Amino acid sequence: MARLFLSDPKVISGRISIEEPASIHYLRDVLRSRQHDTVIVFDGKGREYICSVETISEKIVLIVREESAAVKREGNVVITCACAIPKNSRMDDIIDKLTQLGVDRIIPLITERTQVKLDKKRRLIKHERWEKIAIAASQQSQRVSLPKIDLVTEFDDFISLTNRFDVKLMPNLVGKTKHLSQLLNSLGKNILVAIGPEGDFSQAEVDTAIKNGFISVSLGDTVLRVETAAVSIVSFLRLVSY
């Protein structure tokens, strides 16, 4: 069923008028919605509106048939994934996949071995792009909420944000690690996962993380790409949390 994200749907006389070119293009040209088709509008905060298309022209008017109270159905735990930015455009895929998996927050990381260099302007451009990817993935995967996408964050600044999580996991190849299966009974409700770059976290970063309550974990015997590691551990956490 067609889904459309609107950050602040205005319901006037039982109707929602859509005038933003991007939303009109998505409904009319991408989804090919027609008169009387059903469209679910969601605000990214848990509220949904079940609508039917009344008119399609320079603007689209939807008739609101039903409005739901704020709900959350992504899962029983809150998952934050901090991920070092890989080369090329693979962070786009990471944002897309993690959104589909129901991650609540994504923190793009700059670490000691991160090879991508972004100035302030490029960081803002990337952030805007990643938010759009998260919206598209949320619409496709029928999420009722959007993940929070943080601005690009330096590793030391990231560590200072991590004191409120129940469990903090850092998959890495440095030193002694635990297997995820050993932690099934102690995951808690608010989980943070930190994924390193190509070449892994440095020893100093792992040491800093452990001092700040992270658990060093293994994802198996093979060395995974950044995007594979992120999807693998989040998929595991989602599976065991249901």
Side-chain angles (χ1 to χ4, degrees):
M1 187 174 294
R3 293 179 65 83
L4 175 69
F5 167 73
L6 296 177
S7 61
D8 186 23
K10 295 289 195 304
V11 181
I12 301 174
S13 300
R15 288 170 169 77
I16 298 175
S17 295
I18 300 172
E19 300 183 5
E20 300 88 349
S23 297
I24 292 173
H25 168 71
Y26 180 70
L27 282 177
R28 183 183 61 199
D29 304 321
V30 178
L31 297 179
R32 298 191 178 278
S33 297
R34 297 293 181 260
Q35 191 176 27
H36 307 307
D37 284 357
T38 297
V39 175
I40 296 178
V41 173
F42 69 107
D43 64 2
K45 306 174 188 71
R47 188 172 294 277
E48 294 182 334
Y49 304 83
I50 301 176
C51 310
S52 59
V53 178
E54 183 177 52
T55 60
I56 299 180
S57 55
E58 290 78 14
K59 68 177 181 179
I60 295 178
V61 177
L62 305 177
I63 300 174
V64 177
R65 301 202 310 256
E66 183 181 338
E67 177 181 344
S68 68
V71 295
K72 187 179 186 300
R73 61 168 180 251
E74 267 71 61
N76 297 321
V77 297
V78 176
I79 298 177
T80 296
C81 184
C83 186
I85 303 171
K87 293 183 293 184
N88 303 319
S89 298
R90 286 185 286 157
M91 194 67 189
D92 292 4
D93 292 332
I94 291 171
I95 299 291
D96 177 75
K97 299 299 188 297
L98 294 184
T99 299
Q100 291 183 54
L101 288 168
V103 165
D104 298 273
R105 180 181 177 189
I106 302 170
I107 306 174
L109 274 185
I110 297 292
T111 69
E112 184 178 328
R113 294 173 179 166
T114 299
Q115 299 181 35
V116 175
K117 306 300 179 184
L118 299 171
D119 59 23
K120 184 176 181 180
K121 181 179 179 180
R122 288 292 297 165
R123 291 185 182 199
L124 292 174
I125 291 172
K126 287 287 189 182
H127 183 258
E128 182 178 348
R129 174 176 175 79
W130 292 332
E131 285 192 322
K132 290 179 179 178
I133 290 171
I135 289 171
S138 296
Q139 290 175 154
Q140 179 272 322
S141 60
Q142 300 191 18
R143 286 186 62 151
V144 297
S145 62
L146 298 180
K148 180 182 186 295
I149 311 294
D150 283 33
L151 293 170
V152 175
T153 305
E154 302 288 336
F155 182 83
D156 289 341
D157 294 329
F158 158 68
I159 289 294
S160 70
L161 303 173
T162 64
N163 60 340
R164 296 185 178 179
F165 293 88
D166 297 331
V167 176
K168 295 177 280 190
L169 306 176
M170 176 177 274
N172 67 88
L173 305 172
V174 179
K176 187 176 180 180
T177 59
K178 291 185 177 181
H179 193 277
L180 280 173
S181 61
Q182 297 175 265
L183 305 173
L184 288 180
N185 297 322
S186 58
L187 287 175
K189 294 293 185 181
N190 193 7
I191 303 172
L192 170 63
V193 178
I195 304 295
E198 296 95 341
D200 204 5
F201 290 109
S202 68
Q203 181 68 64
E205 288 170 334
V206 173
D207 292 343
T208 297
I210 291 174
K211 288 178 182 177
N212 283 272
F214 278 79
I215 301 170
S216 187
V217 298
S218 169
L219 297 182
D221 297 330
T222 58
V223 178
L224 304 180
R225 292 181 183 270
V226 178
E227 60 270 34
T228 308
V231 169
S232 295
I233 190 167
V234 169
S235 297
F236 175 85
L237 294 173
R238 277 290 175 226
L239 178 64
V240 300
S241 69
Y242 275 101

